[in-house]
């Protein structure tokens, strides 16, 4: 059964870094565009960034541009979200999703992970 599993969340101080992982079973993530999303308490889920199908083209929301980086490790069938210079407003549950085309919109994705909590606080 197709599963996406996020990991790597946790508590970090402002200015710190975390790397989230999105691993898959039963599918090859190279065949999918991957998006990262987040949902803060009381807010709608928003797109953070995406990486293209089989390619290295990435796109980021303005709020994280220059601080977050998405990459693939094809040997491990895993996609990463490296988050640097974290701010309290980055606190949210982070989700990865797989779909047919890279977009910051939820409608582009068919498969979703369960999410991992990121808390940025001193």
């Amino acid at each position: 059964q197709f599963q996406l599993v996020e990991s790597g969340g946790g508590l970090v101080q402002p200015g710190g870094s975390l790397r989230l992982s999105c691993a898959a079973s039963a599918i090859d993530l190279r065949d999918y565009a991957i998006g990262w999303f987040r949902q803060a308490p009381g807010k709608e889920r928003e797109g953070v960034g995406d990486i293209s199908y089989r390619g290295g083209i990435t796109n980021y929301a303005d709020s994280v541009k220059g601080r977050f980086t998405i990459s693939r490790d094809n040997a491990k069938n895993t996609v990463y979200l490296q988050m640097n210079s974290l701010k309290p407003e980055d606190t949210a549950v982070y989700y990865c999703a797989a779909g047919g085309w890279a977009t910051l919109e939820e409608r582009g994705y068919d498969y979703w992970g369960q999410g991992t909590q990121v808390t940025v606080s001193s």
Side-chain angles (χ1 to χ4, degrees):
Q1 183 176 353
F2 186 129
Q3 272 193 315
L4 290 176
V5 179
E6 302 97 336
S7 61
L11 173 65
V12 63
Q13 291 187 343
S17 298
L18 280 177
R19 188 179 75 164
L20 305 184
S21 300
C22 175
S25 60
I27 63 155
D28 187 339
L29 287 183
R30 291 176 296 179
D31 293 332
Y32 294 85
I34 304 297
W36 283 96
F37 292 79
R38 67 186 181 187
Q39 187 167 22
K43 295 187 177 181
E44 294 186 354
R45 189 156 56 184
E46 63 174 353
V48 172
D50 57 66
I51 187 165
S52 61
Y53 153 79
R54 284 195 177 261
I57 300 173
T58 54
N59 179 49
Y60 302 95
D62 288 343
S63 58
V64 306
K65 203 169 291 184
R67 300 188 298 122
F68 290 12
T69 303
I70 298 173
S71 62
R72 292 181 180 268
D73 186 333
N74 294 329
K76 295 183 178 180
N77 202 28
T78 299
V79 176
Y80 300 103
L81 177 66
Q82 176 68 44
M83 306 186 295
N84 299 328
S85 302
L86 282 162
K87 306 174 182 180
E89 51 264 44
D90 294 319
T91 296
V93 177
Y94 283 72
Y95 301 87
C96 67
W101 80 91
T103 174
L104 295 179
E105 298 183 23
E106 293 186 43
R107 62 186 176 90
Y109 300 95
D110 302 308
Y111 307 102
W112 291 81
Q114 82 291 347
T116 185
Q117 176 70 46
V118 171
T119 303
V120 184
S121 175
S122 55

